[in-house]
Amino acid sequence: MKELENKCLRFVLHYYQKDKLDTPKALKAFKEKNRISVHKHSSFRTFLFTSGAAAIILLAVALHTVLRPDSERTVITAHAQRVNYLLPDSSLLTLHPYSSVSFCKQTYQNERREIQMKGKVAFTVRHDETRPFRVLGRLTQTVVLGTQFTVDESRQDTASVQVTTGKVRLTSLQGTESVILTKGMTAQIVKGETKPRVISQKQEIRKGSFQFENTPLSQVLEQLSRYYQVRLTTQTSDRQLTARFEERSLDEIIEIIEKVLKVKIRKEKP
């Protein structure tokens, strides 16, 4: 009898489909397959067999419901290397090593753009005024419309947000006060504090005007180094430069000199 019950269980689990299983039909198929005949005088045994099979079927349904994976939740994890992931709205995530993000795909597409994260993740968010982009970490809540920024929660007691382009509103999960961060700004949230602290402001790019007349390249680089507070060097110093620069950044000037004189200039900290 026990062997028969085991065969019944294997049969039910093999052919079970949600909302499609007809219990009497399944029992009939099982009996025909195993050549089981039912006589009138064994109605009580038939009742026990039917009840047991039905119980097995109900158990299979319960197990399927409890153990069924949540197919709507998407989890992305980076291990030893960075991982790039494109969200359904074409926003781009860059996960640093040992970081992870998760989101509900159906909710993200139809209701709100919300991401949960751990570790350090860079975001390039597609602009959508009707659906702000929300990032939830251990300590931070970051809301944007469309921008490029990085959330770093790789440390246990502090978190930081750095904005590359655009604008974000940063709030501590332990408070209600927020700060607005724009391009070039960085803010930090310390565990236990209710308000973010801005630790790096946007730095304006310094521009200058210069005029050179057959000036040796070594002197040109020396003058530029003093003005922009860097150290410029080159292995080709036997060239002369005649040029005029009006309100140019250092990178723009270096690019022009390299193209005109066909040299390579190296920029270092002083």
Side-chain angles (χ1 to χ4, degrees):
M1 183 68 180
K2 187 171 183 178
E3 182 181 356
L4 183 61
E5 291 176 352
N6 290 335
K7 291 177 69 176
C8 177
L9 176 60
R10 289 195 298 269
F11 182 88
V12 171
L13 292 177
H14 180 73
Y15 289 100
Y16 170 75
Q17 294 184 22
K18 186 181 178 182
D19 299 327
K20 294 184 179 180
L21 181 61
D22 186 334
T23 303
K25 186 176 180 180
L27 291 174
K28 182 179 179 181
F30 179 80
K31 293 172 186 177
E32 291 176 352
K33 182 177 180 180
N34 292 274
R35 298 180 180 179
I36 299 174
S37 59
V38 180
H39 304 285
K40 293 182 179 180
H41 66 273
S42 59
S43 58
F44 180 72
R45 180 175 295 180
T46 303
F47 170 78
L48 291 178
F49 176 82
T50 305
S51 301
I56 292 172
I57 293 171
L58 291 175
L59 176 61
V61 173
L63 287 174
H64 178 79
T65 303
V66 173
L67 300 179
R68 182 181 58 189
D70 186 357
S71 58
E72 295 181 351
R73 196 77 186 173
T74 302
V75 180
I76 305 97
T77 302
H79 296 287
Q81 297 180 342
R82 291 188 181 187
V83 172
N84 292 323
Y85 183 82
L86 198 64
L87 291 168
D89 66 340
S90 297
S91 295
L92 177 65
L93 309 181
T94 300
L95 285 72
H96 288 247
Y98 310 108
S99 302
S100 65
V101 299
S102 65
F103 66 98
C104 179
K105 189 173 183 179
Q106 183 176 358
T107 301
Y108 190 97
Q109 291 177 318
N110 301 325
E111 299 178 25
R112 61 185 182 276
R113 299 189 296 173
E114 185 172 286
I115 300 290
Q116 292 184 334
M117 61 152 287
K118 295 179 181 179
K120 182 178 181 180
V121 183
F123 299 83
T124 302
V125 180
R126 185 175 180 180
H127 183 75
D128 188 343
E129 291 185 356
T130 62
R131 295 194 308 145
F133 189 92
R134 187 186 308 271
V135 180
L136 299 176
R138 287 183 300 104
L139 303 176
T140 60
Q141 175 179 264
T142 310
V143 180
V144 302
L145 292 177
T147 187
Q148 185 175 351
F149 64 100
T150 300
V151 179
D152 186 356
E153 291 202 352
S154 55
R155 298 174 61 184
Q156 290 294 322
D157 298 329
T158 60
S160 65
V161 175
Q162 181 179 15
V163 179
T164 306
T165 61
K167 180 188 297 185
V168 307
R169 182 174 71 247
L170 177 63
T171 309
S172 170
L173 290 180
Q174 301 172 356
T176 57
E177 294 187 72
S178 61
V179 296
I180 301 297
L181 304 177
T182 57
K183 178 181 178 180
M185 295 180 66
T186 302
Q188 184 181 71
I189 292 178
V190 179
K191 187 176 182 179
E193 296 184 358
T194 59
K195 183 179 179 180
R197 293 184 293 177
V198 177
I199 59 176
S200 177
Q201 296 281 0
K202 175 182 176 182
Q203 295 182 349
E204 295 292 339
I205 298 177
R206 191 175 189 184
K207 295 184 178 182
S209 299
F210 306 91
Q211 183 169 345
F212 303 103
E213 292 286 345
N214 293 323
T215 307
L217 181 57
S218 58
Q219 294 182 17
V220 173
L221 298 183
E222 183 179 352
Q223 184 175 343
L224 294 175
S225 296
R226 286 198 305 268
Y227 184 82
Y228 290 103
Q229 299 179 354
V230 295
R231 183 171 178 265
L232 301 176
T233 59
T234 181
Q235 294 182 348
T236 310
S237 57
D238 60 342
R239 309 289 173 87
Q240 293 182 335
L241 178 67
T242 298
R244 180 182 178 87
F245 301 103
E246 293 286 349
E247 292 296 315
R248 296 276 189 171
S249 68
L250 177 58
D251 289 339
E252 291 174 328
I253 294 175
I254 290 176
E255 183 180 2
I256 293 172
I257 294 175
E258 288 181 333
K259 288 182 177 179
V260 171
L261 299 183
K262 300 186 184 307
V263 297
K264 185 66 178 177
I265 298 173
R266 185 175 180 180
K267 181 173 66 174
E268 301 174 329
K269 293 183 179 180

